[in-house]
């Protein structure tokens, strides 16, 4: 519910996906004052986007995992908390002051505990032609299906990962099956994944779901290519043709809809700007905030739950949100530590069980080499139109830090602030210079992390309290107006 926003609260939750919703509900039900800040108009996050308490009109297409979100949203809507919608968060200070803008006005709330649940973002998959109209990510297509009911026709899916097959199956159920799946997965990935077979056995339910998806796609007659390399898209005004090589043979498919995906990575824009400590994950090939077993970050009283702390899936995010909430409640009320410790231990066990299959999946669906080290002519920074070749030339001249590359090429200076190019540029530096990713580093992010209007910033301080008040001409009607 949307109440008057308090200036001081016990818990501020950032994001209303599975982790954010479950954390907020748990804290609110315990009696803590809770404010949830989210960019969307309704709760659900990316995974449960457009889901409602009563369900989604096309929920059967998206499956039972998606429909599970209705129960979370129902509990969230009934919890005694403040839900700030359509809000752009742009800064969090070391004193736990949280700043965001809503309807053109900036706001500030100070929280005793902060739970960051900003989720994940799709890993960029740069290839020749990926910026053409008609080329989009698989995640963007799924959002379009959930929010608008629109499904591409005769689409080609390229990349790898569970989402590729989930989306293909959903498109089949929606009556618009893709014409082909071009999977970049290589045969050696099975040998790499075999090292984590123990986790695969524990997470066999996930694997069975995958087998069912494959069976549905085969029955629908969707052509599937494996071991694909050298993917490229061509067209005049938009995508018209996609070319690739599979098992040594060249292929070309005519299409106007090209959907790409090679996995997701934690959204670290906020946690980086806050100065929290991060670690490089060599298996998931991404940076992730450093958290303890209760998802508390390197800063006391700040938690990172869900995929924003490492990719684990919706159910793991739900448990992590609850776990972070319990730990936050312990910090708020020292006397409740003993009574909450049993719940904390159970949640730790649930999280461990849910993420047990992740190492197997991460090794099985590792990003293709083409994405990590694209060809010289491939655009890697969409905002500034910088190619991989331009980045390599700077590395050859001795620029071995990602922030040096940012200075020399403007990669990361555009509107997306490095969200689309950061991982790719870092991998190019690593490959070209032969140095570890820890030394390459990541973009130095500064506040505000989202675009902020000067008027919004000025609105934080009423004119009567501003140092400019003494300079006002109070004799004119305009200057004396309350606005």
């Amino acid at each position: 519910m949307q109440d008057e926003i308090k200036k001081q609260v016990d818990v501020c939750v950032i994001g209303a996906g599975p982790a954010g919703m479950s954390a907020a509900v748990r804290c609110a039900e315990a009696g803590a004052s809770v404010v949830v800040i989210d960019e969307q108009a309704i709760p659900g996050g990316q995974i449960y986007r457009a889901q409602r308490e009563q369900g989604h009109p096309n929920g059967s297409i998206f499956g039972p995992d998606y429909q599970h979100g209705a129960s979370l949203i129902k509990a969230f809507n009934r919890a005694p908390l403040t839900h700030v919608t359509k809000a752009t968060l742009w800064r969090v200070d070391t004193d736990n002051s949280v700043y965001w803008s809503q309807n053109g006005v900036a706001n500030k709330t100070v929280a005793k505990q902060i739970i960051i649940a900003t989720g994940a973002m799709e890993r960029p998959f740069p290839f020749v032609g990926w910026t053409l109209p008609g080329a989009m990510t698989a995640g963007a297509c799924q959002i379009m299906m959930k929010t608008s009911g629109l499904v591409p026709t005769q689409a080609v899916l390229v990349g790898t990962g569970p989402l590729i097959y989930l989306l293909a199956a959903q498109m089949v159920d929606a009556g618009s099956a893709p014409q082909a799946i071009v999977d970049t997965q290589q045969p050696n990935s099975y040998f790499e994944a075999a090292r984590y077979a123990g986790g695969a056995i524990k997470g066999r339910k996930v694997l069975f779901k995958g087998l069912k998806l494959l069976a549905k796609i085969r029955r629908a007659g969707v052509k599937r290519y494996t071991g694909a390399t050298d993917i490229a898209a061509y067209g005049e005004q938009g995508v018209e043709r996609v070319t690739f090589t599979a098992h040594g043979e060249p292929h070309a498919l005519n299409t106007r809809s090209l959907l790409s995906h090679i996995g997701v990575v934690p959204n670290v824009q906020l946690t980086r700007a806050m100065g929290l400590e991060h670690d490089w994950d060599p298996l998931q090939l991404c940076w992730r905030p450093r958290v303890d077993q209760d998802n508390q970050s390197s800063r006391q009283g700040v938690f990172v739950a869900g995929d924003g702390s490492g990719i684990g899936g919706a159910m793991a995010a739900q448990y992590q949100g609850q776990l972070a909430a319990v730990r936050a409640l312990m910090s708020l009320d020292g006397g409740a530590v003993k009574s909450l410790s049993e719940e904390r231990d159970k949640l730790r066990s649930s999280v461990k069980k849910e993420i047990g299959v992740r190492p197997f999946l991460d090794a099985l669906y590792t990003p293709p080499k083409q994405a990590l080290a694209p060809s010289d002519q491939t655009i890697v920074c969409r905002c500034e139109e910088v190619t991989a070749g331009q980045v390599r030339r700077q590395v050859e001249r001795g620029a071995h830090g990602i922030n040096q590359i940012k200075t020399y090429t403007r990669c990361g200076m555009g509107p997306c602030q490095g969200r689309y190019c950061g991982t790719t540029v870092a991998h190019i530096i690593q490959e070209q210079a032969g140095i570890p990713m820890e030394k390459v580093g990541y973009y130095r992010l500064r506040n505000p992390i989202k675009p902020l209007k000067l008027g919004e910033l000025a609105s934080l301080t009423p004119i009567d309290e501003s140092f400019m008040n003494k300079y006002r001409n109070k004799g004119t009607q305009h200057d004396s107006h309350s606005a």
Side-chain angles (χ1 to χ4, degrees):
M1 57 184 178
Q2 186 87 46
D3 297 326
E4 183 179 352
I5 301 167
K6 298 179 180 179
K7 297 302 180 183
Q8 291 187 335
V9 295
D10 292 325
V11 181
C12 177
V13 179
I14 302 170
M21 287 191 294
S22 58
V25 170
R26 182 64 185 88
C27 289
E29 290 179 344
S33 57
V34 180
V35 61
V36 181
I37 301 171
D38 190 43
E39 290 189 346
Q40 305 303 321
I42 59 175
Q46 300 297 342
I47 188 68
Y48 300 132
R49 184 184 281 267
Q51 181 65 276
R52 306 273 182 167
E53 286 186 29
Q54 63 273 23
H56 191 282
N58 297 320
S60 59
I61 291 175
F62 302 115
D65 291 342
Y66 175 73
Q67 293 171 319
H68 169 73
S71 60
L72 279 180
I73 293 170
K74 183 176 181 179
F76 180 81
N77 288 339
R78 283 158 174 69
L81 53 83
T82 300
H83 181 203
V84 184
T85 61
K86 299 180 181 179
T88 301
L89 184 137
W90 45 269
R91 182 183 180 112
V92 177
D93 281 347
T94 54
D95 64 352
N96 281 8
S97 294
V98 182
Y99 298 87
W100 76 95
S101 295
Q102 183 190 46
N103 300 324
V105 178
N107 297 272
K108 171 187 174 183
T109 290
V110 180
K112 295 177 183 177
Q113 305 285 310
I114 294 176
I115 300 176
I116 300 172
T118 49
M121 54 186 289
E122 284 192 87
R123 183 191 295 273
F125 184 9
F127 51 83
V128 172
W130 76 307
T131 59
L132 286 171
M136 66 171 70
T137 66
C141 175
Q142 194 179 56
I143 289 173
M144 184 173 67
M145 291 174 62
K146 291 175 180 178
T147 57
S148 305
L150 300 176
V151 190
T153 58
Q154 289 296 300
V156 174
L157 281 67
V158 299
T160 192
L163 181 60
I164 285 283
Y165 294 94
L166 174 61
L167 178 60
Q170 291 171 346
M171 294 173 72
V172 169
D173 288 339
S176 183
Q179 65 166 298
I181 296 175
V182 180
D183 198 329
T184 60
Q185 185 186 48
Q186 300 299 314
N188 62 353
S189 63
Y190 289 95
F191 296 103
E192 293 294 328
R195 299 161 51 195
Y196 308 100
I201 294 173
K202 293 179 181 179
R204 53 188 176 276
K205 289 184 179 180
V206 176
L207 303 184
F208 290 149
K209 288 179 183 178
L211 293 175
K212 289 181 179 179
L213 294 177
L214 279 172
K216 177 180 291 188
I217 293 166
R218 288 196 189 99
R219 288 195 300 270
V222 178
K223 182 69 174 178
R224 178 169 173 254
Y225 301 88
T226 59
T229 59
D230 304 321
I231 294 167
Y234 301 96
E236 294 297 328
Q237 301 300 319
V239 174
E240 297 175 3
R241 184 176 78 262
V242 57
T243 64
F244 59 94
T245 300
H247 300 294
E249 295 186 11
H251 297 270
L253 301 174
N254 294 325
T255 182
R256 300 180 69 87
S257 299
L258 181 61
L259 312 176
S260 63
H261 177 81
I262 53 170
V264 295
V265 294
N267 184 350
V268 297
Q269 299 295 113
L270 175 59
T271 54
R272 280 281 183 180
M274 290 174 63
L276 304 182
E277 294 181 9
H278 290 69
D279 296 312
W280 174 253
D281 188 324
L283 190 56
Q284 293 190 351
L285 294 178
C286 63
W287 288 98
R288 54 194 296 179
R290 183 179 301 170
V291 296
D292 63 15
Q293 58 183 339
D294 296 331
N295 283 80
Q296 182 166 233
S297 72
S298 57
R299 184 184 300 175
Q300 189 75 19
V302 176
F303 301 82
V304 187
D307 282 352
S309 64
I311 307 305
M315 284 308 301
Q318 181 177 330
Y319 292 136
Q320 287 175 346
Q322 294 172 344
L323 179 59
V326 168
R327 177 69 177 273
L329 292 170
M330 288 179 170
S331 299
L332 290 171
D333 183 5
V337 173
K338 185 175 293 186
S339 61
L340 293 174
S341 59
E342 184 176 347
E343 180 183 358
R344 178 196 61 190
D345 293 341
K346 287 182 179 179
L347 287 168
R348 286 176 178 174
S349 178
S350 297
V351 171
K352 186 177 180 180
K353 182 178 179 181
E354 281 295 324
I355 64 175
V357 72
R358 287 309 313 184
F360 177 83
L361 295 177
D362 294 334
L364 187 62
Y365 297 114
T366 187
K369 291 182 179 179
Q370 179 182 359
L372 303 181
S375 61
D376 280 355
Q377 64 269 33
T378 303
I379 292 176
V380 295
C381 178
R382 299 171 67 110
C383 300
E384 301 294 333
E385 296 188 341
V386 180
T387 66
Q390 289 174 280
V391 174
R392 286 193 176 94
R393 300 298 83 77
Q394 295 299 332
V395 177
E396 290 173 356
R397 294 169 185 169
H400 294 170
I402 192 169
N403 287 291
Q404 286 179 289
I405 298 294
K406 181 178 181 180
T407 301
Y408 297 153
T409 66
R410 293 190 58 82
C411 273
M413 290 188 181
C416 87
Q417 295 183 310
R419 290 172 176 83
Y420 280 102
C421 66
T423 56
T424 306
V425 172
H427 280 293
I428 292 174
I429 298 171
Q430 181 191 39
E431 181 209 39
Q432 195 75 7
I435 58 179
M437 192 62 75
E438 290 82 358
K439 189 173 181 181
V440 174
Y442 194 72
Y443 288 137
R444 190 177 298 111
L445 301 177
R446 297 180 176 89
N447 294 309
I449 64 168
K450 290 288 182 72
L452 175 69
K453 296 179 180 178
L454 289 176
E456 294 173 354
L457 184 62
S459 68
L460 281 172
T461 304
I463 187 65
D464 292 336
E465 299 176 16
S466 170
F467 74 95
M468 291 295 294
N469 185 45
K470 60 184 178 181
Y471 300 111
R472 295 171 66 203
N473 181 357
K474 299 181 180 179
T476 64
Q477 182 180 1
H478 173 78
D479 284 340
S480 62
H481 194 277
S482 59

